[in-house]
Amino acid sequence: VPGYLGCDTVYHDIQHTLDMTLAMARLIKGYELTHARRDQLGPGRAMIGIITSLLHDSGYIRHAADEGHLNGAEFTRSHVTRSALFLDRYMVENGLGAVAPVARQIVHFTGYEVDFSQIRIENRKDRALGHLLGTADLMAQMADRCYLEKCRDRLFPEFVLGGIAMYLDEQGRLVTRYRSGLDLLRNTLDFYETQCTRRLDDDFGGVHRCMKAVYDGRNPYMVSLDKNIFYLK
């Protein structure tokens, strides 16, 4: 895209984006199969969901004129807000300005920058779309056969650059959250048990179950996710 550099984040890359988008498409199909016509999302919202999926991590991409950052991972703490701004511009420029506000809001279901209760969405179908988006992002990552290796070898370096692994607190003291890639793996189990399951089942309304309608009563994503957690234990 003119005015932007290429992707240089090794965890949040094109493979993750396409994996997540494919999961989103499958979830949307499952959602439509399990809801009456009056409650279905419809093709318009499906389109918004796919576009938002493809661009949900665009906030990691640096501007070509950016001389203050050396890697997109430095935007880890603000990348979702940056993605929302990029989505807004992209959709307006491509004749989708009327639905840009929806994409700009639901993309925050993929991050931690805005509390879910503060995401401004009035229409219940738009909120359901956001729940599907957040589910696809989380589920596709953790179901990846190489998820644990990617956390250790790719996500940890991003966390270092993004000020997540180590940072200065309000008193100027150095706080070390993750000492190494292996230390990040040790904390991944706690992340799954305290945050991931709550998001999937409560915050996102358990829409991951819609995947079963696509796969004859089973959800291969959750099967793979459980295998990763079992191996991690």
Side-chain angles (χ1 to χ4, degrees):
V1 176
Y4 292 88
L5 299 174
C7 175
D8 55 14
T9 44
V10 292
Y11 180 90
H12 293 93
D13 60 359
I14 188 64
Q15 181 184 349
H16 160 64
T17 295
L18 294 179
D19 285 348
M20 185 274 208
T21 303
L22 180 57
M24 180 63 170
R26 289 167 169 163
L27 277 174
I28 291 173
K29 178 180 179 180
Y31 189 91
E32 302 297 73
L33 288 172
T34 55
H35 286 76
R37 183 175 294 276
R38 67 177 182 278
D39 297 320
Q40 291 177 353
L41 302 174
R45 284 190 175 84
M47 178 186 66
I48 298 171
I50 296 302
I51 292 175
T52 307
S53 297
L54 288 167
L55 299 175
H56 82 284
D57 276 339
S58 56
Y60 282 107
I61 305 295
R62 291 181 293 148
H63 291 280
D66 184 356
E67 298 181 354
H69 301 88
L70 299 179
N71 188 279
E74 295 177 48
F75 296 115
T76 298
R77 292 182 180 273
S78 61
H79 79 276
V80 182
T81 298
R82 285 168 52 86
S83 297
L85 294 173
F86 184 89
L87 267 163
D88 190 59
R89 290 193 301 270
Y90 175 85
M91 299 186 84
V92 169
E93 291 170 359
N94 287 277
L96 297 169
V99 295
V102 175
R104 192 172 64 236
Q105 290 296 317
I106 66 172
V107 72
H108 280 287
F109 283 105
T110 68
Y112 297 84
E113 294 166 34
V114 177
D115 188 272
F116 292 152
S117 63
Q118 300 301 313
I119 298 177
R120 299 188 299 276
I121 297 177
E122 301 297 331
N123 190 290
R124 62 183 178 82
K125 291 185 180 182
D126 292 338
R127 184 165 291 275
L129 190 64
H131 291 168
L132 292 170
L133 190 75
T135 298
D137 187 32
L138 193 55
M139 195 167 60
Q141 290 183 68
M142 299 192 73
D144 188 328
R145 165 58 187 82
C146 298
Y147 172 66
L148 300 180
E149 292 90 339
K150 286 181 177 180
C151 282
R152 181 191 63 193
D153 301 333
R154 300 185 181 186
L155 186 59
F156 175 70
E158 284 192 19
F159 278 179
V160 172
L161 290 169
I164 302 295
M166 292 162 281
Y167 58 91
L168 297 176
D169 65 14
E170 295 179 354
Q171 284 72 43
R173 296 172 297 191
L174 180 64
V175 177
T176 302
R177 189 175 180 184
Y178 307 117
R179 296 181 179 277
S180 64
L182 284 176
D183 194 31
L184 174 59
L185 281 183
R186 295 187 187 99
N187 285 273
T188 296
L189 186 59
D190 180 67
F191 166 76
Y192 170 73
E193 293 177 342
T194 62
Q195 295 193 49
C196 178
T197 55
R198 187 190 73 240
R199 284 198 162 203
L200 290 175
D201 293 328
D202 299 331
D203 295 335
F204 299 151
V207 293
H208 62 86
R209 298 182 181 90
C210 295
M211 194 69 81
K212 293 182 179 181
V214 182
Y215 290 100
D216 298 323
R218 62 188 295 270
N219 184 342
Y221 283 88
M222 295 305 290
V223 171
S224 295
L225 191 160
D226 289 341
K227 285 182 179 180
N228 282 335
I229 296 301
F230 178 78
Y231 186 82
L232 181 59
K233 289 180 179 180

